[in-house]
Amino acid sequence: MQFMEDLSNVELSSLASADFSSTSNDGVDFIQTQLEQIEKMQEQVEEFRDVLAAEAKQWCARFYSAHKILRDVEHKEGRGFFGTRVRRIGNSLSIVWYRNRLVNTKQGVKTYSNHLKKGQGFRYPKSAFRGAKKWEMEIIEATEDRYALIRERWSYLTVILRELDKLRRSFEKQKDGLPDFSFLEQESFSSTKTPDEALTSETGLTNNPIPDSA
């Protein structure tokens, strides 16, 4: 998948094997580099969720297609009353089932829908579809099998995004409170002086030869 390909191309591999006994990597902003990688991973997870949402909508469409075909074939059993809907709402994926009921009104027969309760877990219990026709229950179970997998995978991706956000905030917090190591530069400069230069800077004395005229 593209997600794994992007991760394998991360240039951090060269940084991980670098020799940090020297200052050759002083120009690398490690925190910013890792923040950029987190952002890439978040984008990939969002794309993954888009694919899951599209898959759920496809199974919803397949349910209604099969429902129409079987209803025409099994018309002796009567029409089915269960329906389903898939919607992407912000960071959530809504995959629900409902039961339709017909009500006679002055304006004629109208259809009203009651949403079914899923309860705990990733799938609806069979008891939620009590009263479904045999042919209807078959396509409900087939569709719900797919729905349950999608709900489960969506929950894992949500956890990944939540943990990536924690990781991002950890780096941002570190970035705001980095220690000042500028004093090391001064010490590094002092350590590069020769013994004569160090003696001159500290005492004002030199090891230069005394002229004969003295």
Side-chain angles (χ1 to χ4, degrees):
M1 294 181 63
Q2 183 64 36
F3 180 45
M4 299 307 297
E5 292 179 4
D6 286 347
L7 289 182
S8 64
N9 293 329
V10 173
E11 296 180 357
L12 288 178
S13 58
S14 61
L15 300 179
S17 60
D19 179 10
F20 291 99
S21 61
S22 68
T23 59
S24 59
N25 294 289
D26 282 350
V28 178
D29 187 340
F30 290 100
I31 295 180
Q32 183 59 38
T33 300
Q34 291 171 99
L35 284 172
E36 291 173 359
Q37 294 307 314
I38 292 172
E39 183 178 357
K40 287 181 181 180
M41 288 188 285
Q42 289 174 322
E43 291 173 354
Q44 291 293 335
V45 175
E46 285 295 350
E47 290 178 6
F48 201 152
R49 295 212 296 187
D50 289 340
V51 173
L52 278 181
E55 182 183 357
K57 291 178 180 180
Q58 183 183 65
W59 283 107
C60 180
R62 288 184 178 183
F63 168 81
Y64 282 108
S65 178
H67 192 281
K68 182 178 184 303
I69 294 172
L70 291 176
R71 182 184 62 195
D72 294 340
V73 173
E74 305 289 349
H75 63 280
K76 293 181 181 179
E77 265 199 277
R79 60 172 293 176
F81 290 95
F82 291 91
T84 181
R85 183 177 65 238
V86 174
R87 289 189 300 175
R88 176 80 183 270
I89 306 174
N91 292 323
S92 300
L93 181 63
S94 174
I95 305 176
V96 300
W97 290 93
Y98 54 87
R99 180 187 177 98
N100 295 318
R101 56 191 178 88
L102 303 179
V103 178
N104 291 316
T105 67
K106 293 181 180 180
Q107 291 76 28
V109 178
K110 290 189 175 183
T111 302
Y112 293 88
S113 301
N114 294 326
H115 282 83
L116 307 181
K117 293 183 179 180
K118 181 174 66 66
Q120 299 296 324
F122 295 115
R123 65 175 301 131
Y124 280 75
K126 289 185 179 180
S127 59
F129 304 98
R130 188 177 293 108
K133 305 293 190 295
K134 181 180 179 181
W135 62 267
E136 188 180 22
M137 193 63 191
E138 290 178 355
I139 58 175
I140 287 175
E141 288 186 344
T143 305
E144 182 59 15
D145 285 343
R146 297 292 181 173
Y147 279 172
L149 289 174
I150 293 172
R151 293 189 193 100
E152 180 180 3
R153 292 162 184 167
W154 187 276
S155 71
Y156 297 152
L157 293 175
T158 299
V159 171
I160 291 174
L161 284 174
R162 186 183 303 127
E163 296 304 313
L164 282 174
D165 189 58
K166 291 179 182 178
L167 184 60
R168 176 186 59 78
R169 284 187 274 114
S170 174
F171 279 114
E172 289 176 344
K173 183 179 179 181
Q174 179 187 357
K175 189 173 184 179
D176 294 336
L178 285 177
D180 181 12
F181 285 99
S182 59
F183 68 92
L184 292 179
E185 297 179 2
Q186 298 176 358
E187 291 184 2
S188 176
F189 175 75
S190 299
S191 64
T192 60
K193 295 180 180 181
T194 64
D196 289 343
E197 291 173 331
L199 180 63
T200 300
S201 61
E202 294 177 5
T203 66
L205 301 177
T206 67
N207 289 328
N208 296 330
I210 300 174
D212 293 339
S213 58

